[in-house]
Amino acid sequence: MQKKDRYHVAVVGATGAVGNEMISILEERKFPVADLRLLASERSIGQTLPFNGEEHEVEVLKENSFRGIDIALFSAGAARSLKFAPFAVKEGAVVIDNSSAFRTDPAIPLVVPEVNAPALARHKGIIANPNCSTIQMVVALKPIHDVAKIRRIVVTTFQSVSGTGQKAMDELLEQTRSLLAFREVISKVYPHQIAFNCLPHIDVFLPNGYSKEEMKMVHETRKILEDNSIAITATTVRVPVFRCHSESVNIQTEKKITAEQARELLAYAEGVSVLDDPSNNVYPLAINAAGKDETFVGRIREDESIENGLNLWIVSDNLRKGAALNAIQIAEHLIRE
Ligand code: A2P
């Protein structure tokens, strides 16, 4: 990408939960934006969104939407990315795609800047932003992997409804209201009631019995850590939380690492904040991580049931580090390098 003082930026899916967050993070971090093009579906015609004190009109996403664009941030679902990203690239834009469309393509870098920024150099127009659950896990595990080499990961996630999008946040709110008022509960986004419930079901189920979300964690973690030998098994669960994903992560390493050593390593790791004083009720919580940039790690303890095992509790804001912030950190790297 040509170096400039200011860049023409497009946000595809600007009216969605992640798109909205992208717009506010661009503003917050003073990204050098020359011009912001907001793109969504025909449903959003006539809508405006604020950026840097001005209202910007939302335009309909079309093949010719990318003329003059330098950076296109996509978050409108994989089908839109597959169809429209090539048009953006043809116009000379770099696409940073938040969908799953390109993540496992070996020719496309899948990047978490704190973990594998050098992979950005290999991009040919499209860079994939990993799945939200994967991002926060690799941010916390990379420093441990570097010193002790992770052999196996067992992860269970507790994922907020904002990962599904705005409609799911509306559904949780509406169902909670209905239940408290003894009204009938209607489920449209999820196959079951999400309010006061946990659904061990994220994305579609695959022939191996895992959900697609679970297998994303397996494949994406290996790709980002550049280590296909790591054994990974995941159980992903949707919980009635609006924002932030929590994860219980158990690892087994080749070299012994004590809980104290892990705590120290993580205290200095980029993007990580250790909150680990259980006797004073200090551990990462979704409600405290909301709106923050860091990945919070706590409950670090040695797994007494295996050799070289460690347990961690990892929490981060899925709309920020898990999606919009990571994408914009990628863009910041691109314009810096
Ligand atoms: P729209 O609001 O016009 O439907 P979320 O993940 O929160 O559900 O948001 C999805 C985002 O993707 C929204 O901005 C939505 O726009 C956008 N989107 C969905 N389908 C299309 C489409 N066919 N063309 C363009 N944008 C789309």
Side-chain angles (χ1 to χ4, degrees), residues 153-328:
I153 303 171
V154 181
V155 51
T156 303
T157 68
F158 305 74
Q159 298 182 223
S160 71
V161 294
S162 54
T164 314
Q166 190 58 50
K167 286 195 186 85
M169 296 168 83
D170 298 342
E171 181 154 305
L172 173 58
L173 185 65
E174 203 38 53
Q175 288 186 352
T176 307
R177 279 199 184 116
S178 297
L179 282 159
L180 295 178
F182 303 101
R183 284 198 306 264
E184 188 199 352
V185 168
I186 298 162
S187 300
K188 284 190 193 148
V189 176
Y190 298 115
H192 303 282
Q193 177 188 315
I194 182 66
F196 304 101
N197 204 6
C198 299
L199 310 180
H201 178 179
I202 302 186
D203 210 328
V204 295
F205 285 106
L206 301 171
N208 67 355
Y210 282 81
S211 69
K212 202 167 164 194
E213 183 83 351
E214 289 160 351
M215 293 315 294
K216 280 180 206 166
M217 291 194 81
V218 174
H219 299 309
E220 293 180 22
T221 301
R222 287 180 179 153
K223 182 170 170 178
I224 298 163
L225 296 179
E226 293 171 4
D227 190 342
N228 279 328
S229 71
I230 305 176
I232 307 172
T233 184
T235 303
T236 57
V237 183
R238 188 72 68 190
V239 295
V241 167
F242 283 99
R243 207 166 157 141
C244 296
H245 292 350
S246 306
E247 299 178 344
S248 161
V249 179
N250 175 270
I251 58 170
Q252 187 165 30
T253 53
E254 200 166 281
K255 270 173 56 188
K256 169 78 183 165
I257 177 166
T258 66
E260 195 44 49
Q261 286 168 334
R263 232 173 261 126
E264 229 163 85
L265 256 181
L266 291 171
Y268 292 103
E270 200 187 337
V272 176
S273 182
V274 175
L275 289 179
D276 199 15
D277 184 10
S279 58
N280 286 310
N281 304 335
V282 174
Y283 29 72
L285 293 174
I287 54 168
N288 297 337
K292 307 262 170 61
D293 289 351
E294 301 98 314
T295 293
F296 298 92
V297 188
R299 300 295 324 280
I300 303 167
R301 61 207 190 278
E302 280 154 54
D303 175 355
E304 296 178 344
S305 73
I306 50 167
E307 229 183 295
N308 300 350
L310 211 58
N311 288 305
L312 309 100
W313 176 251
I314 303 170
V315 180
S316 194
D317 187 329
N318 57 297
L319 295 181
R320 288 182 76 89
K321 187 57 191 165
L325 174 66
N326 196 70
I328 289 161

Side-chain angles (χ1 to χ4, degrees), residues 13-17 40-41 43-44 61 75-76 80 164-166:
T15 51
S41 79
R43 292 181 287 272
S44 299
L61 172 64
S75 191
R80 262 70 60 194
T164 314
Q166 190 58 50

Side-chain angles (χ1 to χ4, degrees), residues 27 33 37 45 53 73 79 81 110 162 165 188 200 208 223 231 336:
E27 180 170 332
V33 177
R37 194 167 301 164
I45 289 179
L73 303 168
S81 296
L110 180 68
S162 54
K188 284 190 193 148
N208 67 355
K223 182 170 170 178
R336 243 198 332 264

